[in-house]
Amino acid sequence: MKKATSSKISNFSIERLLLYSRTLSDIKRNQKVTKILSTDIASFLNIDSTQVRKDLSYIGKLGKRGLGYFVDSLLNALNSFLYRDKKINTAILGIGKLGSALLGYQPFQKYNIHIVAGFDVNPNKIGNRLNNIIIYPVDELEYIIKAKNIQIGVITTPESAAFGIAERLKNAGVKAIINFAPVFISFADKPIVENIDLSYFFEIARYKIFR
Amino acid sequence: MKKATSSKISNFSIERLLLYSRTLSDIKRNQKVTKILSTDIASFLNIDSTQVRKDLSYIGKLGKRGLGYFVDSLLNALNSFLYRDKKINTAILGIGKLGSALLGYQPFQKYNIHIVAGFDVNPNKIGNRLNNIIIYPVDELEYIIKAKNIQIGVITTPESAAFGIAERLKNAGVKAIINFAPVFISFADKPIVENIDLSYFFEIARYKIFR
């Protein structure tokens, strides 16, 4: 079911909604407040309050102008809007350094994100368990994707293998690909692709250092 | 020197400016166009064109309404605004899986980001070279930061060590910290801290799958 209000929401708004959700959880845990103003969220995160209200308007009418939001209702509405209660099964394709790091990344479970398989071509890795997750041969990709109901494939292969793996993930029917290989992957229709470039964070920090 | 126009620019605008810069490089390389409209950039990236024009206004008057931008001038202006010509020296703190992955991450060099040292507490790792970068004992952190003019410290330690390392990086005088440990680090003044949560990308993908 597609929500009418969410069709034109940008990646940046989604990121901010995720940020609001985490911030509200923190505020709730540490300060025991029950109500909050959009201007509080804005100043806490150093974002324009008009932007906060605009983002929150995507999830429906929740607060009254000047009266603020109930923290609990807003948090529930945000989490539900962001489908954070939906369990996601993922597989890591390419168990090199980054792939191994992701297999052991602790915060995923907290957010209902489950890594259920790793894949590699190296016979020395195949059959091993890392963080109790089995490394399968990449030959079995299509079979395991279906058998384990894997919705997201994470590409951590070398650059040269990334496109081929993306194509196989598409054909195997994954809903989304998160690509960490240093190539830009995109499909006309499905699956959704998030291309992650770790240099971004360094470039943002550099900008802030020199500005 | 602080640019007057850049004081209130948000992380999201900086991210988009970086995105425009990379997109223009791609367009220039593949399509050999010399002029481009903000609406072209907007539709290419699926961002509102008003947003594109607003972001580009941060870097000064470059295009005339309706006439578009010269790709070369816009690209140069963007790269200069983002300080992409400034060499940055970084160190990786904690040479576990993620730390090792970052030491070997190829795209950094292309963006003038140089990893010049690794640090760890494990005697089996200290003194080794990974991707030709020496792993130093964390005891030498303050000395090496100064000797190698390291501006950015990247925290890839376990959660329990992250705050202590952040404090030492601050005292050693780094300008910015990029924190991958699953804790929120923040200082009242300096250094700048970018807290990176890899779950974000998975949560964005989940949202797009279910919406």
Side-chain angles (χ1 to χ4, degrees):
Chain A
M1 192 180 66
K2 201 172 171 81
K3 293 179 188 175
T5 50
S6 67
S7 55
K8 283 192 67 179
I9 188 167
S10 72
N11 255 18
F12 296 102
S13 291
I14 303 166
E15 273 188 52
R16 280 192 299 265
L17 290 173
L18 284 164
L19 195 59
Y20 303 155
S21 160
R22 294 189 185 189
T23 306
L24 284 171
S25 301
D26 287 346
I27 288 175
K28 189 185 161 187
R29 194 167 42 241
N30 299 326
Q31 304 181 15
K32 315 236 181 289
V33 294
T34 56
K35 292 200 79 175
I36 195 160
L37 296 166
S38 53
T39 49
D40 297 332
I41 303 174
S43 71
F44 195 86
L45 292 170
N46 197 21
I47 295 176
D48 195 77
S49 66
T50 316
Q51 181 72 69
V52 174
R53 278 190 295 275
K54 194 188 163 192
D55 290 335
L56 291 180
S57 75
Y58 284 116
I59 64 172
K61 282 225 170 299
L62 283 163
K64 280 192 179 155
R65 198 166 182 88
L67 294 178
Y69 304 91
F70 283 103
V71 174
D72 275 334
S73 337
L74 183 54
L75 200 48
N76 289 338
L78 272 168
N79 288 345
S80 148
F81 181 84
L82 294 165
Y83 301 99
R84 298 183 87 187
D85 53 331
K86 297 276 188 191
K87 188 183 169 210
I88 282 283
N89 288 335
T90 70
I92 310 289
L93 291 298
I95 311 303
K97 288 167 182 167
L98 184 58
S100 305
L102 292 174
L103 281 183
Y105 194 66
Q106 296 298 333
F108 287 147
Q109 295 195 14
K110 194 166 66 177
Y111 300 116
N112 235 345
I113 294 157
H114 300 270
I115 301 177
V116 298
F119 290 93
D120 208 284
V121 289
N122 183 337
N124 297 325
K125 294 181 181 172
I126 292 166
N128 290 350
R129 282 170 185 267
L130 257 173
N131 201 25
N132 216 23
I133 300 153
I134 298 175
I135 315 302
Y136 295 94
V138 84
D139 294 342
E140 294 180 13
L141 188 150
E142 290 75 9
Y143 167 71
I144 300 287
I145 294 279
K146 284 190 173 47
K148 291 186 172 278
N149 186 27
I150 290 166
Q151 297 128 304
I152 299 181
V154 181
I155 300 181
T156 48
T157 63
E159 186 173 342
S160 56
F163 284 115
I165 288 291
E167 198 64 41
R168 286 182 66 178
L169 286 170
K170 175 188 159 82
N171 294 334
V174 301
K175 303 270 179 38
I177 291 172
I178 298 178
N179 172 38
F180 284 94
V183 291
F184 188 84
I185 296 174
S186 172
F187 292 108
D189 184 20
K190 297 277 169 62
I192 295 150
V193 185
E194 299 290 317
N195 290 287
I196 312 300
D197 183 338
L198 296 173
S199 323
Y200 255 60
F201 310 115
F202 292 75
E203 294 216 77
I204 289 173
R206 166 164 56 196
Y207 172 78
K208 291 183 176 175
I209 289 172
F210 286 107
R211 74 169 164 197
Chain B
M1 192 181 67
K2 201 173 169 80
K3 292 178 189 175
T5 49
S6 67
S7 55
K8 285 191 66 178
I9 187 168
S10 71
N11 256 18
F12 295 103
S13 291
I14 303 166
E15 272 188 54
R16 280 191 299 265
L17 289 173
L18 284 165
L19 195 59
Y20 303 156
S21 159
R22 294 191 184 190
T23 306
L24 284 171
S25 302
D26 287 346
I27 288 175
K28 188 186 160 187
R29 196 167 41 244
N30 299 328
Q31 303 180 17
K32 316 236 179 291
V33 294
T34 56
K35 292 200 79 176
I36 195 160
L37 296 166
S38 54
T39 48
D40 296 332
I41 303 175
S43 71
F44 195 85
L45 293 169
N46 197 21
I47 296 176
D48 194 78
S49 65
T50 316
Q51 182 71 68
V52 174
R53 277 189 296 275
K54 194 188 163 195
D55 291 334
L56 292 180
S57 74
Y58 284 116
I59 63 172
K61 282 228 169 299
L62 283 163
K64 281 194 179 152
R65 198 165 180 88
L67 293 178
Y69 304 91
F70 283 103
V71 174
D72 275 333
S73 336
L74 183 55
L75 199 48
N76 288 339
L78 272 168
N79 288 345
S80 151
F81 181 84
L82 295 165
Y83 301 99
R84 298 183 87 186
D85 53 333
K86 298 277 189 191
K87 189 184 168 208
I88 282 282
N89 288 335
T90 70
I92 310 289
L93 290 298
I95 311 302
K97 286 167 185 166
L98 185 57
S100 306
L102 291 174
L103 282 182
Y105 194 67
Q106 297 298 333
F108 288 147
Q109 296 195 14
K110 192 165 68 177
Y111 300 116
N112 235 345
I113 294 157
H114 300 270
I115 301 177
V116 297
F119 290 94
D120 209 284
V121 290
N122 184 339
N124 296 327
K125 293 180 184 174
I126 292 166
N128 291 351
R129 283 170 186 269
L130 257 173
N131 202 26
N132 216 24
I133 299 153
I134 298 174
I135 315 301
Y136 295 94
V138 84
D139 294 343
E140 294 180 14
L141 188 150
E142 290 76 8
Y143 167 71
I144 300 288
I145 294 278
K146 283 186 175 50
K148 290 185 174 278
N149 186 27
I150 290 165
Q151 298 129 302
I152 300 181
V154 181
I155 300 181
T156 47
T157 63
E159 186 172 343
S160 57
F163 283 114
I165 288 290
E167 199 63 43
R168 285 181 68 180
L169 286 170
K170 174 189 161 80
N171 294 334
V174 302
K175 305 271 179 35
I177 291 172
I178 297 177
N179 172 38
F180 284 95
V183 291
F184 188 84
I185 296 175
S186 173
F187 293 107
D189 185 20
K190 298 278 168 66
I192 295 150
V193 185
E194 299 289 319
N195 290 287
I196 312 299
D197 183 338
L198 296 174
S199 322
Y200 255 59
F201 309 115
F202 292 76
E203 294 216 77
I204 288 173
R206 167 165 54 198
Y207 171 79
K208 291 183 177 175
I209 289 172
F210 285 107
R211 76 171 164 195

